[in-house]
Amino acid sequence: MPLEDLLINKPKKKLFLLGNEAAVRGAIEAGVSIAATYPGTPSSEIGDVLHYLAKDANIYFEFSVNEKVAMEVAATAAVSGLRSFTFMKHVGLNVASDSFMTTAYNGVNGGMVILTADDPSMFSSQNEQDNRHYGRLAKIPILEPSNPQEIKDMMVYGFELSEKFKTPVIIRTSTRISHMRGIVELNEIKASNNINENIHWKKGFFKKNPKQWVPVPGNAAEMHKNLALKFENIKKINTKLNKIYSAPKATKNKNSKFKLGIVSSGSSFNYAYDTINKYDLGIDILKLGFTYPFPEKEVLNFIKDLDGVFIVEEVDPIVEKEILSIIGKNQLKISVFGKLNNVFPMIYEFNPDILLNSFKKFYKIAKKENEKVNGGKNNINDIYDEFSKEEININEYNQNTKLENTQLNNLIESLPNRHPTLCPGCPHRTSYFAVKKSIEELEISEDNVIFASDIGCYTLGISPPYQTADYLLSMGSSIGNGGGFSKATNQTVMSFIGDSTFFHSGISPLINCIHNKNKFVLTILDNRTTAMTGGQSNPGLNVDGMGDPAPEISIEKIAISLGIKFVKTINPLNLKKTIETYKEAIKYDGISVIIAKSPCILIKGLKKRKPMEIDYNKCNKCLECLKFLACPAISMKNDEIIIDSLSCKGCTTCRQMCKEKAIKIKR
Amino acid sequence: MINMIEDIFSKNPEFCKDSYTIYICGVGGQGIIKTSTIIGNGAINEEKNVVMSEVHGMSQRGGIVSTELKIGNYKSSLIEEFSSDMIIGFEPIEVVRNLNKANKDTKIIINTQPIIPSNISSQKNSYPDINEVIAILRENYNYVYPIDGSQLAKESGNILTLNMVLLGAATADETFPISKDNIIIAMQNNLKANFYDINAEAIEKGYEKVKSLQ
Ligand code: SF4
Ligand code: SF4
């Protein structure tokens, strides 16, 4: 599908959209004027699509330097009366959280939607934090879609809700929803107005009112009171987003004499729905779409006549605890089956098999309990007790099922693994190779060098043969960690950070390290893009989020202006020079900054370089290229080293490192 | 009275009617997501409901890529264990790695051209012999269609049409719920017009190959 299809104003038309594409369509239907983000999986594609379509959609879009700035851009647009949209991965909201918390106090004029994409099971993240907590922390409403259609519809609803109550609204997705593709039926696009010939997006007007917009302590006290009042009003609204999926009468309770129900939301709802319907378990499901403020009344209505309720939710037992509190408050006698009593796993994402297992476990115990009483009276509490007796066994989770067939199992176990690696020709590989070489030449033992890594493709340096990632916390942490290690130990410290990550949150820690007289080698791997998330622009480039020309900010000048004496910009692909520079930098007493500048090979329009080949008359099969460089284009076939000319990007690193001069440009 | 566990967990034929699930796996850069989207669009052309799960992000740097397509009444996009109706394997050992999605009757379309992991020399396990892998699969599964997709792609004029060869191969199995014609229409809507002929040729080649194996 061409992305332009997201612009067509044909209500009822059906498109097959990725969740992230549906979010953009929702923004367009809602008439968003300003959108800002910092790229992060699983929400990156929203930015990619906006980058492509923003102008035609009458949206100002930027890749902000980090999520906090994106939050601030969106907040100011909203207080100026415009509809604004910011989106980020779950941990991005940590970065934005300082301003995020206050947006609730300040409130908005135009609608403001904050989409946060969680990553249960950590497909591309450092943790699986549950961002539903953030709504509770800030008193901001949360909507939770279960599929692309709902993402689009909740975007539009979110803006209406936001304007009605003058509050930002969170849309919380997860990887399985953002990266789900499904059928989306379109609605009308609101006509955008007031667009000047020179500026393609609508402009707003900011009306001064310090009492509302400036939370100095005196104002903040009043603002918190207003927020609390607002919150009570939001609790009262009727919403269609919470919905009961009733089991057919005929199947209801056919499997047990107890009245059971399920409360679920987001991707978990999909698994619950499929499991209940596929096996005709006859249990009603309350699907929550509007999950915070917690819809106490609706939930109470749903559970009050039940004997037992299953809470199906990924990551933290949040709904479960809400429901336990409703039960407590209303002094009900309902058994709750959730994470807290070992019915569903406490960590990781769910899937249909996990739910099936949990329900099987339930019915097995139910059956056993039934037999025990021998036809007499039995009580759902017995089942509850049976579950609660078991200790929570975290080790059970996420273990790959073995096949029944040993031949197949043996085959599977004998397979080589396939981890993501740096691409062939990736300049990071050459930098890492040079770093290792210089350490070796300086005769420093590897144990005496700490590599503080950061977030980007270059974190892949964690794997052999490079092993250049020893410690990592978050975006930009390599610099603060580098400083910390240099004070805490006498080891050699080397930090690696990418260009985009440096801009994101590397600059203030660098200032800190200079001021506090740290000593370490900082490499800024400047590959001219935000590579890991798919190649978005950043302030180091001469193009902005909408593809327009923009001032390019020089990393070198920043470093020099901070007073660092050792700042060298090198092309890492010049191997000899790179090794020499590293040797100097390691010996330098103070902070040394090396800017390893060479473009990511995935950047479009790069000049093609000729591939390499092996000169078999010279190759003595030392295998150093294979073992220590480990470029994916180099492999072993029939006892000979070969270079795959289709995947080789002609970076010449192998040619430079081969002692026998056995690698040459392919003729 | 509570029924037997086995009775409780028997499938509801009404819900499962007309459902079809396809697991597609391989390595980053092989065109897997595009192929899956085309199948999804083909399903929509036939007015079927479809959901799909994609893997993006870290796994695309030469790592494993997989998608899951579920046609039918499903809301979730993840296929249950041992229950794929079809597996389309772009890389042989990735099929083996995902056999927990297969049962005896799963249609297994498998490209026989390996992509050797780049760090193979530092691993304890070596890459298995493809003929042995195929033989083991044949021994354990009823419908295994090994095809040299990379060779057929070259024959249709471009190695990058591998994904269309495998897509064509899928349409040749009679259980596949979408007609070849609808797949071709969906392909046209999703790929650049200037490659249309080569892609159509590749679909044809994959189709013929599987027909000849049946
Ligand atoms: S020149 Fe050598 S190191 Fe560079 S991409 Fe080609 S094979 Fe790999
Ligand atoms: S480093 Fe040079 S001599 Fe050694 S195996 Fe590679 S090509 Fe051959």
Side-chain angles (χ1 to χ4, degrees), chain A residues 144-208:
Chain A
E144 281 184 73
S146 296
N147 55 48
Q149 175 81 56
E150 288 183 7
I151 293 184
K152 180 191 83 62
D153 294 341
M154 285 190 188
M155 284 287 294
V156 178
Y157 178 83
F159 280 105
E160 288 163 5
L161 185 75
S162 171
E163 276 163 15
K164 186 162 180 210
F165 292 99
K166 307 273 181 228
T167 170
V169 169
I170 293 176
I171 294 185
R172 185 250 194 177
T173 71
S174 61
T175 301
R176 288 297 172 194
I177 305 301
S178 293
H179 287 168
M180 172 194 262
R181 208 176 270 279
I183 301 173
V184 175
E185 195 179 293
L186 306 182
N187 287 81
E188 208 191 337
I189 298 176
K190 267 195 178 180
S192 31
N193 44 25
N194 283 352
I195 292 156
N196 172 304
E197 288 151 21
N198 303 313
I199 302 164
H200 70 264
W201 69 93
K202 181 175 145 185
K203 293 276 186 164
F205 185 82
F206 174 70
K207 269 212 224 101
K208 295 180 196 233

Side-chain angles (χ1 to χ4, degrees), chain A residues 1-2 16 18 41 45 123-124 176 179-183 245 254-256 269-271 273-274 277-281 349-353 356 359-360 363-364 366-367 370 401-403 405 407-408 411-421 423 457 460 531-532 534 602 626-627 631-632, chain B residues 1-5 8-12 15-16 27 37 40-41 44 48-54 56-59 61-64 70 73-82 91 93-94 96-97 99-100 115-121 123 125-128 133 136 139-141 189-190:
Chain A
M1 178 201 85
F16 190 43
L18 190 66
T41 309
E45 294 81 14
F123 292 92
S124 16
R176 288 297 172 194
H179 287 168
M180 172 194 262
R181 208 176 270 279
I183 301 173
Y245 288 76
K254 70 164 190 193
N255 300 316
S256 100
F269 163 75
N270 295 334
Y271 311 132
Y273 176 91
D274 284 358
N277 286 287
K278 187 166 178 183
Y279 301 100
D280 234 348
L281 295 181
E349 78 164 341
F350 287 179
N351 61 39
D353 297 302
L356 184 58
F359 282 106
K360 279 190 174 163
Y363 283 112
K364 228 180 240 162
K367 186 169 172 281
N370 209 39
T401 14
K402 288 221 168 169
L403 308 186
N405 178 317
Q407 184 191 26
L408 290 173
L411 180 61
I412 293 172
E413 268 157 35
S414 76
L415 295 179
N417 53 35
R418 191 190 299 279
H419 293 308
T421 46
C423 302
C457 283
L460 294 172
M532 181 92 257
L602 295 180
L626 194 69
K627 283 190 191 143
C631 168
Chain B
M1 190 49 212
I2 296 175
N3 298 318
M4 297 293 288
I5 302 297
I8 294 179
F9 289 94
S10 63
K11 286 180 195 154
N12 171 6
F15 183 77
C16 300
V27 176
T37 311
N41 270 308
I44 296 178
K48 294 182 159 77
N49 182 45
V50 56
V51 282
M52 168 177 155
S53 175
E54 303 181 4
H56 290 238
M58 203 74 168
S59 35
R61 297 280 170 278
I64 300 162
K70 292 171 93 176
N73 290 319
Y74 303 103
K75 290 198 187 289
S76 101
S77 55
L78 296 181
I79 300 173
E80 279 177 64
E81 280 180 339
F82 311 115
E91 205 287 338
I93 65 167
E94 294 317 320
V96 177
R97 223 190 289 278
L99 284 173
N100 64 339
I115 298 180
I116 317 263
S118 60
N119 62 350
I120 190 83
S121 59
Q123 292 198 39
N125 291 340
S126 56
Y127 196 96
V133 168
I136 295 177
E139 221 173 280
N140 291 287
Y141 298 91
N189 289 336
N190 277 278

Side-chain angles (χ1 to χ4, degrees), chain B residues 182-201:
Chain B
N182 268 321
I183 284 291
I184 291 178
I185 295 172
M187 182 270 283
Q188 282 174 289
N189 289 336
N190 277 278
L191 298 177
K192 292 219 174 77
N194 41 350
F195 293 118
Y196 165 59
D197 287 341
I198 292 190
N199 284 326
E201 163 96 24

Side-chain angles (χ1 to χ4, degrees), chain A residues 135 145 230 241 303 324 331 340 387 489 584 607:
Chain A
K230 198 187 272 182
L241 299 186
I303 62 171
L324 285 169
Q331 302 188 353
L340 295 172
F387 268 111
T489 72
E584 256 180 80
K607 216 174 103 206

Side-chain angles (χ1 to χ4, degrees), chain A residues 423-426 429-430 573 601 609-614 625 629-635 642-645 647-657 663-664:
Chain A
C423 302
C426 172
R429 174 178 292 103
T430 321
L573 298 185
I601 53 122
R609 292 171 297 199
K610 291 213 177 80
M612 302 296 126
E613 67 178 359
I614 304 287
C625 54
L629 190 59
C631 168
I634 305 176
S635 59
I642 53 161
I643 293 183
D644 174 15
S645 56
S647 41
C648 169
K649 291 287 178 299
C651 76
T652 74
T653 309
C654 53
R655 186 175 177 222
Q656 298 174 64
M657 57 78 64
I663 301 181
K664 54 182 190 186

